[in-house]
């Protein structure tokens, strides 16, 4: 019997690259074309209005409501000139991804007349019917009001026929229902705290930002093949599928030449990104087959996050045009690398001072060590929370596996910075940090190489990389706001404590710089245990981390307890980034999402096993049985036993896997029915984690074993080798 699988393979193989055509020959000619940026504002807003907007964006000043009417009018004209007919507030609910509800500019007036209308109040604020977004109990459905409010620090943009306005999303009583609200608050908290500390260095009036450069990893799978995999369509990952004989063993995909169809997709994606002012810079093959990466130049964190979310959504559309599906799941395929989204995070000033960059003078280096020590202390004190922000049902498959950072947060500093701290601990004076070293390769035509301050350690979840920290535990499908909000907040809190301690020292007569130096030393001494430069994948590290007091919990639902630990409440309340009610609701939402994702996986696997795999396995088994019977008829009892021995073995193995899979699926269905009645989020999530997750693995092992026995011609689902090697 011909299966759809072979038609899909044939279609996929026949696809030619879809040539991507650049909008203009030079990027600069269309970069940011669809963004209401300064160039657009110059054409559509008066100078006075522009000045108010810049004040708001750069200095965080609150925008006057009257100015908003002028902005709205200019923005509308600009968007309509680009062909927009609708507008939407664009926000980031806790479901992940983004949400939008389009309204038309058209304002029908009756008598067959209509005007194009868009006023300041519509720009400022809207009330989407938000009752179906998760709120973790913050909004009872009878008071389902939720408001979106304009975030002027991230520019509006046009996609297709719609003007999109980045907004926060809060409840009737002002609690955050989204990712952006706490992110913005955390940014204010950390920049204020950093400015206070910079005062010791005479740099207290600098404008500071938290910066983010993300590296987005993803898989591409041919669309025809994808459509034949219900598990990919419904859960974004393969719930079954035997290893391909070859996958990433040869390390021949990483940085290799980009396949032509994929390259055209990447070019098209870049064109779209440039139109939206997303500063993408790097593209390459990743470690696993059909795995790739795209990374931009870093930006202020709020903007970088909006850009990442926007990119994730345009990736889907662009892929469609090239006959691909993008997989943003952290672990779409078992047995090969999963996808992360490294978050390169730092603090810096608008004038270009990197607060996490070593400097040239002693004072600059003290500033560097001071911000480093405070960051490390913040991460040490809050390592459990930091982990909770990156763990979820999908990233759990990646973290802790032998490819990605382990489920223990530690920090890698590299030799140079470790040496500097070691010296600091050992002496009372300032330490020397040497800058970039050069060395000659001894090849006359190649100039001296400049060597970075840090070596690389791929196993560390939170690695210092010369002028920033790279938080590698973040998953590819994540909204980076979760972890960045926590990093900003814990650093803000720690800097406040630091400042209090330094002020006490100054008050008791210690000179300012000496006080900063001494407190930096004390701060580092108190958190040394977070530093680990060894192999984060080793078993010895797990034992050692436990001794150092680092959180080693790997059960996703249990890690969420950290959202309302005493430590977290203290840090978030003091910095005013989130209240206990907000933290508590977040935790509830995350448990709920965890349960829902697991429940869907359970249902899909049950269906796949019962309706796709077992019927085919039985059909093949019947072919074997017929054959054995025929052998017996023709050759008689004696000869047939020898001739059919291996087939009879195979029949036995097949029936063992079939019956094991069947009875496990029965158990799975019963568990699913029971858990769907569980009311309490935490308890339900724990059961899904402890009971259902291992069951999914067990069923899979029987199905994958059947895949290796059943005739390839009959197997209905595209196999790993097809999903991973056709492009
Ligand atoms: P790698 O793969 O070597 O880690 P990439 O070049 O792919 O590096 O990505 C590094 C990311 O870090 C880029 O987005 C880059 O702009 C960003 N980055 C560089 N310097 C900083 C900084 N000071 N703060 C935040 N991000 C930074
Ligand atoms: Mg990196």
């Amino acid at each position: 019997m011909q299966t759809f699988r072979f038609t899909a393979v044939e279609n996929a193989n026949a696809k030619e690259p879809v040539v991507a055509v650049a909008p203009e020959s030079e990027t600069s000619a269309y970069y940011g074309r669809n963004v209401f940026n300064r160039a657009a504002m110059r054409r559509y807003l008066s100078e006075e209005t522009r000045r108010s907007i810049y004040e708001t964006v750069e200095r965080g000043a609150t925008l006057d409501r009257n100015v908003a009417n002028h902005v709205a009018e200019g923005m509308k004209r600009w968007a309509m000139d680009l062909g927009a007919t609708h507008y939407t507030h664009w926000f980031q609910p806790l479901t992940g991804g983004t949400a939008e509800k389009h309204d038309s500019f058209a304002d029908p007036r009756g008598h067959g007349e209509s005007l194009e209308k868009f006023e300041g109040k519509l720009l400022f604020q809207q009330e989407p019917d938000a009752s179906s977004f998760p709120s973790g109990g913050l909004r009872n459905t009878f008071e389902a009001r939720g408001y979106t409010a304009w975030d002027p620090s991230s520019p509006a943009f046009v996609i297709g026929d719609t003007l999109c306005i980045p907004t926060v999303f809060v409840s009737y009583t002002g609690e955050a229902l989204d990712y952006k609200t706490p992110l913005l608050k955390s940014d204010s908290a950390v920049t204020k705290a950093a400015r206070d500390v910079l005062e010791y260095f005479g740099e207290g009036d600098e404008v500071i930002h938290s910066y983010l450069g993300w590296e987005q990893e993803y898989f591409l799978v041919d669309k025809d093949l994808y459509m034949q995999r219900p598990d990919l369509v419904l859960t974004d990952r393969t719930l079954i599928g035997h290893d391909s004989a070859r996958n990433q063993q040869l390390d021949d995909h990483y940085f290799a030449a980009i396949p032509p169809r994929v390259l055209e997709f990447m070019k098209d994606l870049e064109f779209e990104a440039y139109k939206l002012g997303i500063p993408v810079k790097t593209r390459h093959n990743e470690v696993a087959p059909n795995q790739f990466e795209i990374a931009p130049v870093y930006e202020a964190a709020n903007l970088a996050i909006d850009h990442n979310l926007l990119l994730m959504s345009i990736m889907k559309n662009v892929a469609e045009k090239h006959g691909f599906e993008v997989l943003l799941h952290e672990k779409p395929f078992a047995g090969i690398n999963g996808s992360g989204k490294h978050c390169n995070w730092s603090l810096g000033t608008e004038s270009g001072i990197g607060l996490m960059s070593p400097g040239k003078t002693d004072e600059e280096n003290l500033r560097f060590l001071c911000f480093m020590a405070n960051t490390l202390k913040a991460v040490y004190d809050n390592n459990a929370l930091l982990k909770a922000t990156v763990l979820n049902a999908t990233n759990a498959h990646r973290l802790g596996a032998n490819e990605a950072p382990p489920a223990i947060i530690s920090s890698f500093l590299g030799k140079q910075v470790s040496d500097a701290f070691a010296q600091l601990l050992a002496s009372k004076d300032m330490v020397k940090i040497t800058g970039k070293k050069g060395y000659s390769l001894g090849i006359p035509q190649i100039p001296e190489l400049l060597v970075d301050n840090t070596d690389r350690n791929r196993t560390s979840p939170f690695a210092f990389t010369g002028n920033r920290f790279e938080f590698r535990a973040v998953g590819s499908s994540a909204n980076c706001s979760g972890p960045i909000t926590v990093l900003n907040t814990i650093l803000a809190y720690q800097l406040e404590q630091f400042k209090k301690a330094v002020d006490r020292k100054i008050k008791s007569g210690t000179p300012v710089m000496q006080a900063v130096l001494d407190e930096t030393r004390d701060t580092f001494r108190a958190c040394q245990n977070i530093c680990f430069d060894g192999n984060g994948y080793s078993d010895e590290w797990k034992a050692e981390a436990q001794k150092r007091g680092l959180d080693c919990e790997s059960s996703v639902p249990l890690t969420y307890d950290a959202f309302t630990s005493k430590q977290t409440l203290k840090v978030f309340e003091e910095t005013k980034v989130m209240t206990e009610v907000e933290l508590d609701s977040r935790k509830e939402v995350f448990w709920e999402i965890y349960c829902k994702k697991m429940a869907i996986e359970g249902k899909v696997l049950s269906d796949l096993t019962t309706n796709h795999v077992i019927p085919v396995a039985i059909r093949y088994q019947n072919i074997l049985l017929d054959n054995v019977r025929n052998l017996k008829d023709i050759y008689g009892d004696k000869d047939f036993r020898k001739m059919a021995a291996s087939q009879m073995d195979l029949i036995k193995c097949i029936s063992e896997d079939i019956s094991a899979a069947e009875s496990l699926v029965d158990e799975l269905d019963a568990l699913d029915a029971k858990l769907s009645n569980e009311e309490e989020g935490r308890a339900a999530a724990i059961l899904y984690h402890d009971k259902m997750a291992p069951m999914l693995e067990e069923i899979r092992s029987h199905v994958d074993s059947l895949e290796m026995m059943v005739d390839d011609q009959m197997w209905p689902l595209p196999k790993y080798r097809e999903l991973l090697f056709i492009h």
Side-chain angles (χ1 to χ4, degrees), residues 210-216 254-255 279 281-284 286 293-299 342-348 354-357 456 458 465-470 472:
S210 58
Y211 288 111
L212 168 65
W214 40 262
E215 301 164 54
Q216 178 72 55
Y254 192 51
F255 282 13
K281 179 92 180 153
T282 310
R283 62 185 188 204
H284 61 80
E286 259 302 327
E293 178 179 306
I294 180 166
V297 178
Y298 70 97
E299 300 175 281
H342 296 175
C343 283
N344 294 270
W345 167 80
S346 70
L347 290 187
L355 300 184
M356 290 160 184
S357 308
R456 285 180 171 253
R458 285 281 163 205
T465 49
N467 59 356
R468 61 192 187 267
F469 280 94
E470 184 170 336
R472 302 205 179 108

Side-chain angles (χ1 to χ4, degrees), residues 1 13 122 144 257 423 471 505 579 694 713 727:
M1 191 186 78
N13 274 325
L122 296 173
Q423 272 184 55
F471 191 20
K505 287 190 163 104
T579 62
Q713 290 294 313
H727 42 234

Side-chain angles (χ1 to χ4, degrees), residues 594 598 671 687-698:
Y594 184 84
M598 290 297 295
L671 181 66
L687 287 171
Y688 275 111
H689 176 272
D690 294 355
K691 299 263 186 298
M692 188 179 277
M695 226 179 242
L696 298 183
E697 286 310 304
E698 224 185 316

Side-chain angles (χ1 to χ4, degrees), residues 215 254-255 342 344 412-415 452-460 463-465 468 470 472 533-534:
E215 301 164 54
Y254 192 51
F255 282 13
H342 296 175
N344 294 270
F412 167 85
L413 293 181
K415 186 164 172 355
D452 282 309
N453 287 329
T454 54
D455 23 6
R456 285 180 171 253
N457 174 325
R458 285 281 163 205
T459 72
S460 177
F464 179 66
T465 49
R468 61 192 187 267
E470 184 170 336
R472 302 205 179 108
D533 284 9

